[in-house]
Amino acid sequence: QVQLVESGGGLVQAGESLRLSCASSGSGLSGYVMGWYRQAPGKQRELVATITSAGSTNYADSVKGRFSISRDNAKNTVYLQMSSLKPEDTAVYYCNFRFFFNNYWGQGTQVTVSS
């Protein structure tokens, strides 16, 4: 069973930056698509960014130009660099690793952006 552990969340002011990390306990995950999702209070979980094994990235329009996703296959870790944070970025952020029918989620890390 693959376990994912997020870290790096916290409370910041608008305009500041945070870097989230998600490390996996598994191995041989280089072929997985890795991604970040978020869920704000009262809203559905939404895609933030994904990165394929080849390094292709995809971003939600709301974070393009401000967030950057990257991965380290040797460490089975995915990162999310968040810059120019806005209050509307406040949410619980979840990492996700998926490969065909295998789909794993982290427990989530809170990001709060004050105005």
Side-chain angles (χ1 to χ4, degrees), residues 69-83:
I69 189 170
S70 60
R71 61 191 284 168
D72 185 333
N73 289 329
K75 296 181 179 179
N76 292 318
T77 299
V78 63
Y79 306 96
L80 185 68
Q81 178 67 47
M82 305 184 293
S83 303

Side-chain angles (χ1 to χ4, degrees), residues 25-100:
S25 62
S27 61
L29 303 177
S30 60
Y32 279 59
V33 174
M34 300 178 181
W36 289 94
Y37 293 72
R38 67 187 182 186
Q39 187 167 17
K43 295 187 177 182
Q44 291 188 334
R45 191 174 297 188
E46 63 176 4
L47 170 73
V48 176
T50 60
I51 184 167
T52 69
S53 57
S56 296
T57 58
N58 180 52
Y59 295 94
D61 288 343
S62 59
V63 306
K64 283 181 180 178
R66 300 189 298 121
F67 290 12
S68 178
I69 189 170
S70 60
R71 61 191 284 168
D72 185 333
N73 289 329
K75 296 181 179 179
N76 292 318
T77 299
V78 63
Y79 306 96
L80 185 68
Q81 178 67 47
M82 305 184 293
S83 303
S84 301
L85 282 162
K86 303 176 181 180
E88 50 263 44
D89 294 318
T90 295
V92 178
Y93 284 70
Y94 299 89
C95 66
N96 173 262
F97 285 22
R98 61 181 172 85
F99 183 78
F100 288 102

